[in-house]
Amino acid sequence: MASRIRLEDRECPLSTTVQHVGEWWTLLILHDAFDGYTRFDQFQESLGISSSMLTTRLKTLVADGLLERRPYQTSPVRHEYVLTDLGRSLRPVVVALAAWGNSRLAPAERSMILIDAQSGEEVEPVVVDAGTGRRLDDSDAYVFAAGPAAGDAMRLRYAHRATAPAEA
């Protein structure tokens, strides 16, 4: 698959992340994997995706290190696709995307909600700063800035903002 990322965005974490998970089917496959699906036929039945498209997407997810392909049967050999630690680390991102989608709907219009597995109560996911617990949705209080590894283009983009603290 040809890269859609612009040369000047290669150091941008948002651009490089979207290159890996920004495709429609990729996010839906990951969503199914978070729900416990591991087998080709499970993904295909759940998503209604063509075999060739699913094969391509699964190969990409394996190559990107988000899923691991493991044999679960020997005769004939069949494989399952299991989330790696890197793949599991994307769950909060998918949860946040689903929450954003639900936030635009009335509660009665939501077809999928996130609940506390123990209490069954609906929860409202938010993204917070790990250090302070403050919500990060205030774009005046939290802004992007050039980090320690930023190249010239990134430094120029954020020249009007404070830079990240230097590493010790």
Side-chain angles (χ1 to χ4, degrees):
M1 175 167 58
S3 176
R4 293 184 192 166
I5 192 168
R6 299 178 309 170
L7 184 60
E8 61 268 26
D9 287 335
R10 290 197 187 273
E11 71 176 316
C12 174
L14 181 59
S15 296
T16 55
T17 299
V18 168
Q19 181 181 10
H20 294 288
V21 298
E23 201 274 330
W24 165 272
W25 289 116
T26 300
L27 284 175
L28 296 178
I29 292 167
L30 287 170
H31 176 246
D32 277 359
F34 297 136
D35 280 348
Y37 293 62
T38 60
R39 298 190 178 166
F40 189 95
D41 58 331
Q42 292 174 317
F43 291 118
Q44 191 171 31
E45 183 178 336
S46 171
L47 299 172
I49 185 173
S50 73
S51 293
S52 62
M53 179 63 74
L54 181 56
T55 298
T56 300
R57 294 292 157 233
L58 288 171
K59 282 182 181 177
T60 300
L61 287 164
V62 168
D64 287 347
L66 301 173
L67 293 177
E68 178 185 346
R69 185 175 183 248
R70 290 188 214 161
Y72 69 88
Q73 178 179 308
T74 56
S75 190
V77 175
R78 298 211 189 270
H79 294 87
E80 63 181 351
Y81 298 87
V82 180
L83 287 161
T84 62
D85 288 342
L86 183 62
R88 280 188 294 280
S89 73
L90 276 169
R91 189 171 190 276
V93 175
V94 174
V95 166
L97 285 170
W100 180 82
N102 272 344
S103 72
R104 302 175 310 123
L105 301 171
E109 297 175 326
R110 297 174 183 173
S111 62
M112 179 186 72
I113 58 173
L114 187 66
I115 62 168
D116 181 301
Q118 301 226 335
S119 70
E121 295 293 318
E122 184 174 358
V123 296
E124 180 186 354
V126 295
V127 180
V128 299
D129 172 54
T132 65
R134 290 175 48 202
R135 290 175 67 124
L136 297 180
D137 53 3
D138 181 347
S139 59
D140 291 326
Y142 296 98
V143 298
F144 289 106
D152 292 341
M154 190 67 71
R155 290 188 188 287
L156 183 60
R157 176 183 176 120
Y158 293 115
H160 64 286
R161 302 227 170 107
T163 57
E167 290 191 30

